Amino acid sequence: MKLNNLKDLMIHELKDIYSAEHQITKALPKMMEACSSEKLRAAFQDHLQVTKMQIERLDNVFDMLGMKAQSEHCKAMEGIIKECESMMSERADKSVMDAALIGCAQRVEHYEIAAYGTVCTYAKQLNMTDVMNQLLMTLDEEKATDQRLTMIAEETINIRAER
Ligand code: FE
Ligand code: FE
Ligand code: FE
């Protein structure tokens, strides 16, 4: 489909994010299995629930745009998750694996922060305040998750992995 304007581009990006979020809901349970720290597992579990809500929020956004939700396969998220899977297949000390999983999860969050930040900017330019507010809520959740992961890394996991 030819992209004629900023709204077309926004919709294109929303389909990509929709695919990315679905891929994340499949990856997080595997990451929960691979991790040893209860704290980290709880963070992944919480984010799985949040991710499911974010998908519903995207359903709302597509609804607001008068279209049904559509997915366009996000190759970048596929790649990030593939890297994560190959990391999970490495032989590693438990806490070292936990530290590695945080690195994988933060790559996921940073991709999302970039993607949601971009569509928020488009929605703002298009004066679509309701759409923008939905996307901003998710953007804030992704940022909060990223910060929570940094905290868990600095306060426990990285310290354990060092020794
Ligand atoms: Fe998300
Ligand atoms: Fe993508
Ligand atoms: Fe996320």
Side-chain angles (χ1 to χ4, degrees):
M1 192 188 94
K2 187 184 167 201
L3 307 172
N4 288 308
N5 51 42
L6 197 63
K7 188 182 173 191
D8 288 350
L9 180 58
M10 182 177 75
I11 290 168
H12 185 277
E13 302 289 43
L14 287 170
K15 292 177 186 171
D16 178 274
I17 298 174
Y18 198 65
S19 157
E21 294 286 21
H22 279 279
Q23 293 184 53
I24 293 163
T25 60
K26 288 187 193 127
L28 277 170
K30 294 180 201 165
M31 293 167 75
M32 282 168 61
E33 267 178 49
C35 93
S36 303
S37 153
E38 281 308 321
K39 220 182 201 175
L40 182 56
R41 187 173 303 117
F44 287 160
Q45 174 67 52
D46 288 349
H47 200 57
L48 178 58
Q49 291 316 116
V50 168
T51 301
K52 287 174 182 169
M53 276 167 37
Q54 293 174 344
I55 291 174
E56 282 177 29
R57 215 175 270 143
L58 285 173
D59 283 322
N60 292 341
V61 165
F62 281 113
D63 212 52
M64 287 171 184
L65 294 164
M67 55 189 291
K68 69 174 177 59
Q70 280 175 55
S71 205
E72 179 118 4
H73 186 66
C74 176
K75 284 185 195 158
M77 191 53 69
E78 182 188 338
I80 292 170
I81 291 171
K82 270 189 183 153
E83 272 195 11
C84 180
E85 279 167 354
S86 81
M87 182 57 82
M88 288 190 287
S89 72
E90 294 279 357
R91 286 179 350 100
D93 178 88
K94 281 179 182 178
S95 43
V96 175
M97 180 55 75
D98 284 347
L101 287 169
I102 290 179
C104 295
Q106 288 192 295
R107 282 172 172 79
V108 169
E109 296 316 308
H110 280 242
Y111 181 85
E112 293 187 286
I113 290 166
Y116 278 105
T118 301
V119 285
C120 276
T121 308
Y122 295 163
K124 185 180 177 192
Q125 179 62 35
L126 294 163
N127 280 313
M128 295 182 175
T129 311
D130 295 344
V131 168
M132 185 187 72
N133 287 335
Q134 292 286 305
L135 299 171
L136 265 181
M137 254 186 272
T138 299
L139 178 61
D140 286 343
E141 289 169 354
E142 311 296 15
K143 286 180 180 170
T145 300
D146 180 52
Q147 283 166 9
R148 182 175 172 187
L149 290 168
T150 298
M151 236 171 61
I152 295 173
E154 289 182 345
E155 287 175 1
T156 42
I157 309 265
N158 290 359
I159 299 165
R160 278 187 216 154
E162 189 182 7
R163 13 177 214 253

